[in-house]
Amino acid sequence: MNSIAIPVSALSPCHKLPALAGLNHTPQTLLLGQERVLNAFELLCKTPNQHMFLADFAGVDRVEFIKSLMTSQTHLADQYLFSTTPHDNQRNFSWSSHCDDEKLATKNQTYQYLSGDIKRADLLGRFIDDKQKSAAENYNPGALTQCHYLFICAESLWKREGLWNLLLDILAKKEFKVHSSLPALPLNCKIILVGSNMQFSVCWVEETKFPQLFPILGEMVNELDLAQHSEIEYATWLTAVAANVNVKLNQSVLTSLFLYSSRLADHQLRFTLLSGQIGQMLAQAKAYSVSEMITAEDFQLALEQQQFRHSASEMLSAQNFDDKFISLPTDGHMVGQINGLTVLDTVEYCYGEPARITASVHYGDGEVADIERKSELAGNIHAKGMMILSACLYRIFGKDAPLHLNANIVFEQSYQEIDGDSASLAEYCSLISAIAEKPINQSIAVTGALDQFGHVQAIGGVNEKIEGFYNLCERRGLTGSQGVIIPKSNTQQLNLNLKLIESVKAGKFHLYAIEHIDEAVELLMGIKAGTPDEDNDFPDDSLYGIVQDRLAKLAGYQDEETSFFAKLLEKMKLFS
């Protein structure tokens, strides 16, 4: 049993902390890990008449990232738009690197970023048809004329359907019309739309011109893999983010920053690259700091205060458990009942909450009924998990004959829709308990997804789930027998708070990592699952042997009672 206990050293990441004093960042530091974007932008610069879509994420400081991206480019010479009159006497405009007295406008800005309430004049400029002034004096250039590279927020442009269609038309024709008295101006600007991957997919499918005009995709990544980069590189990136919000870092804050970043990345060997979110937390820590440089205590206080501001629903949930409005025992043993783990997401904040799952069985045609699904309180993924659970049950006990039982599984006191398959392990354990009539240890909560072969697979929100059950147990009083079972594949995501780690270290709380359902049922019910023989029969004293015997009784396969005459004949054989 103890062989599957998770050691304390595996409960949080272990990083090598570089010295901040020797780190120097450059304008390109924010491009750490963004090789795809750099590759795409380099191609954009070399490819005529092709434009780019930059796919970013919420939580990225878009303005600072674009600034860093542009500093990676060499200085661009000014370009001049001037009028030409060919042999047909039709007035035209063209771009040149040489200045001319008849120039209409000058392209002298490397880049510009447009977002929000974008207007037609922001793109094209304005022209006042004043006969007493020259064309150059009448024309107030827009971004398409002034900039070598123009970054545009895709969402802002999408909201203005007229501007969206106008831009696509300009890119297709490679020219744009500012005023009826002026001929069309040639386009000499690279366009980079900035938005989400979802926006790119929608535009690619729904806009016929889009794939031809924006064939270059630069996808940002929101995580840094320590298998490819070092802690020194990431610490340098952090100093660059801090500098953008006018924050100086004390050496002590690096541990807290690394742990926070790994928690956001949801992996022990990865760091988040969400510069906007990191910068916001650093700015908040500076507000709480009493010195020029923020320390670990300042950053930790900022995190605690943020949690306090966003945890109203979590506090109400805790009160419901403490007031016994929600029944969920954390000690003792019960048949057909188990503590599962869920995650509640409120967009900007998520937290773990235990859920009581119960199962009941009776004679029937082999259906494992999902009450949540039948009451339309469960999603498709949860329904899929229940089907996999049924398949797993039949694989073990229904190879040779159908199962003559019906089972009902339900999340007790659940009044909102649930989804996901992370409760399928807990549901399986409660079902086996109900069939075998063997009680489950209520001190241990369970999370994990199943496949048809009984392997326990990774789930989401593992840290929140563990901490949710731990917080409930701590409020009631830690007994030393409480704990959580998780999939072994989730151990690389563990990044638990210090209080919980100290409780595990002191033996007051336990964490177990498993790979197969048999490990879970043995730990929860204190009896060996059993190994089948060549006839797929389990030992009578094993858990699965007890389950087989119960299923046989439900099917009517138990031995018939011996008649009086059969007993008499048996005795006569003994005397002969």
Side-chain angles (χ1 to χ4, degrees):
M1 185 182 299
N2 292 329
S3 61
I4 59 176
I6 303 175
V8 175
S9 59
L11 301 184
S12 65
C14 183
H15 300 122
K16 298 177 182 177
L17 301 177
L20 288 175
L23 302 181
N24 296 309
H25 63 272
T26 66
Q28 289 81 40
T29 300
L30 288 179
L31 303 178
L32 177 65
Q34 306 297 345
E35 288 79 12
R36 289 180 179 83
V37 174
L38 291 172
N39 178 282
F41 195 73
E42 182 180 355
L43 180 63
L44 175 73
C45 298
K46 297 178 179 178
T47 312
N49 302 322
Q50 293 188 13
H51 304 277
M52 173 178 161
F53 191 99
L54 175 60
D56 66 355
F57 298 88
V60 171
D61 191 333
R62 184 179 288 183
V63 173
E64 290 296 333
F65 185 87
I66 292 174
K67 185 189 296 183
S68 296
L69 184 62
M70 293 310 302
T71 55
S72 66
Q73 301 303 305
T74 56
H75 176 71
L76 298 171
D78 291 349
Q79 297 266 320
Y80 305 96
L81 183 64
F82 63 92
S83 173
T84 60
T85 306
H87 299 296
D88 56 4
N89 293 322
Q90 293 291 324
R91 187 185 183 193
N92 291 319
F93 287 94
S94 63
W95 288 96
S96 173
S97 58
H98 301 288
C99 186
D100 191 285
D101 292 337
E102 298 297 323
K103 69 177 180 178
L104 179 68
T106 303
K107 188 181 293 293
N108 53 12
Q109 291 186 25
T110 305
Y111 79 98
Q112 191 174 337
Y113 172 58
L114 297 179
S115 65
D117 186 18
I118 304 174
K119 295 180 174 60
R120 185 178 185 274
D122 296 330
L123 292 173
L124 310 183
R126 292 183 177 88
F127 185 83
I128 301 172
D129 192 10
D130 188 344
K131 304 299 183 182
Q132 297 180 355
K133 296 181 180 180
S134 65
E137 291 174 318
N138 286 332
Y139 182 47
N140 184 17
L144 290 176
T145 305
Q146 291 179 312
C147 303
H148 291 277
Y149 297 92
L150 178 58
F151 294 81
I152 306 175
C153 175
E155 184 179 5
S156 299
L157 199 64
W158 186 270
K159 292 177 180 178
R160 303 288 302 275
E161 185 176 351
L163 280 184
W164 174 263
N165 292 329
L166 174 64
L167 179 66
L168 296 184
D169 188 58
I170 290 172
L171 297 182
K173 293 179 179 179
K174 304 180 185 64
E175 61 181 21
F176 56 95
K177 194 87 171 167
V178 180
H179 194 271
S180 59
S181 64
L182 278 181
L185 305 183
L187 180 67
N188 185 25
C189 178
K190 289 285 189 176
I191 306 298
I192 302 96
L193 289 180
V194 189
S196 66
N197 270 301
M198 179 63 71
Q199 289 173 324
F200 176 79
S201 301
V202 171
C203 293
W204 190 276
V205 173
E206 295 187 359
E207 292 289 348
T208 307
K209 298 178 182 178
F210 189 85
Q212 285 74 38
L213 300 176
F214 292 91
I216 303 175
L217 172 64
E219 282 189 290
M220 291 179 62
V221 294
N222 61 350
E223 295 177 356
L224 187 76
D225 194 338
L226 283 177
Q228 301 174 3
H229 298 273
S230 67
E231 285 95 339
I232 294 177
E233 291 177 285
Y234 188 71
T236 307
W237 182 88
L238 286 174
T239 61
V241 174
N244 288 337
V245 291
N246 299 316
V247 169
K248 295 181 180 180
L249 304 179
N250 183 279
Q251 181 67 37
S252 65
V253 79
L254 201 56
T255 301
S256 299
L257 270 173
F258 274 17
L259 289 175
Y260 175 67
S261 179
S262 291
R263 178 82 178 229
L264 290 179
D266 207 19
H267 200 285
Q268 292 185 348
L269 297 177
R270 292 176 194 156
F271 289 126
T272 185
L273 290 174
L274 299 180
S275 54
Q277 191 165 347
I278 293 289
Q280 289 171 357
M281 288 307 305
L282 289 175
Q284 291 174 22
K286 181 181 179 180
Y288 292 116
S289 178
V290 294
S291 62
E292 186 177 346
M293 305 177 73
I294 65 169
T295 63
E297 291 76 15
D298 300 327
F299 190 74
Q300 193 61 37
L301 178 60
L303 291 177
E304 292 172 358
Q305 291 299 312
Q306 183 197 46
Q307 183 178 9
F308 171 73
R309 291 191 301 271
H310 292 253
S311 61
S313 59
E314 184 180 13
M315 291 176 61
L316 290 173
S317 172
Q319 289 174 0
N320 287 332
F321 281 100
D322 296 343
D323 294 338
K324 303 296 175 61
F325 292 146
I326 298 178
S327 174
L328 192 140
T330 53
D331 55 15
H333 295 74
M334 296 190 70
V335 173
Q337 178 172 298
I338 193 169
N339 289 329
L341 296 172
T342 65
V343 170
L344 280 77
D345 196 338
T346 59
V347 182
E348 84 293 344
Y349 182 76
C350 63
Y351 60 94
E353 183 179 278
R356 183 165 56 101
I357 302 172
T358 61
S360 62
V361 297
H362 56 274
Y363 178 80
D365 57 4
E367 179 191 11
V368 179
D370 180 9
I371 293 179
E372 305 298 325
R373 183 67 173 174
K374 287 187 173 182
S375 60
E376 299 183 353
L377 284 174
N380 294 330
I381 299 176
H382 184 263
K384 178 185 176 183
M386 289 295 296
M387 294 175 190
I388 294 173
L389 185 158
S390 300
C392 184
L393 188 71
Y394 268 88
R395 182 190 63 84
I396 301 173
F397 302 108
K399 287 184 177 180
D400 304 319
L403 302 181
H404 292 273
L405 91 159
N406 275 10
N408 293 307
I409 299 178
V410 64
F411 277 70
E412 300 289 356
Q413 294 183 281
S414 172
Y415 308 110
Q416 57 189 358
E417 184 174 335
I418 61 171
D419 203 2
D421 60 352
S422 64
S424 54
L425 173 60
E427 291 165 334
Y428 173 85
C429 294
S430 66
L431 181 57
I432 292 297
S433 171
I435 297 172
E437 297 183 333
K438 288 291 182 181
I440 290 176
N441 185 354
Q442 303 297 299
S443 300
I444 301 176
V446 180
T447 184
L450 299 182
D451 68 8
Q452 293 191 95
F453 302 103
H455 300 119
V456 180
Q457 302 171 131
I459 47 84
V462 64
N463 291 297
E464 289 81 5
K465 289 178 177 179
I466 293 172
E467 290 172 354
F469 187 68
Y470 170 80
N471 291 336
L472 176 62
C473 293
E474 185 194 31
R475 292 197 305 272
R476 294 180 176 180
L478 297 175
T479 62
S481 61
Q482 296 148 335
V484 174
I485 296 174
I486 66 170
K488 189 174 182 179
S489 51
N490 278 116
T491 55
Q492 60 192 332
Q493 295 179 293
L494 291 178
N495 194 339
L496 301 168
N497 63 57
L498 184 59
K499 188 196 303 184
L500 196 157
I501 294 175
E502 290 298 325
S503 296
V504 173
K505 189 175 182 179
K508 297 179 180 179
F509 197 77
H510 308 276
L511 295 176
Y512 308 96
I514 63 170
E515 296 180 279
H516 197 269
I517 52 176
D518 293 354
E519 297 174 272
V521 294
E522 289 176 0
L523 181 60
L524 290 165
M525 295 177 227
I527 180 173
K528 287 289 183 181
T531 304
D533 57 22
E534 62 274 8
D535 297 323
N536 199 42
D537 291 327
F538 290 89
D540 292 338
D541 59 348
S542 68
L543 178 63
Y544 287 168
I546 297 171
V547 171
Q548 267 188 336
D549 182 61
R550 178 79 188 282
L551 293 173
K553 289 179 180 178
L554 287 170
Y557 296 150
Q558 63 268 31
D559 295 335
E560 295 182 2
E561 185 179 351
T562 307
S563 67
F564 171 77
F565 293 103
K567 293 178 181 178
L568 183 61
L569 287 172
E570 189 66 29
K571 288 182 179 180
M572 291 174 65
K573 287 180 183 179
L574 293 174
F575 285 115
S576 61

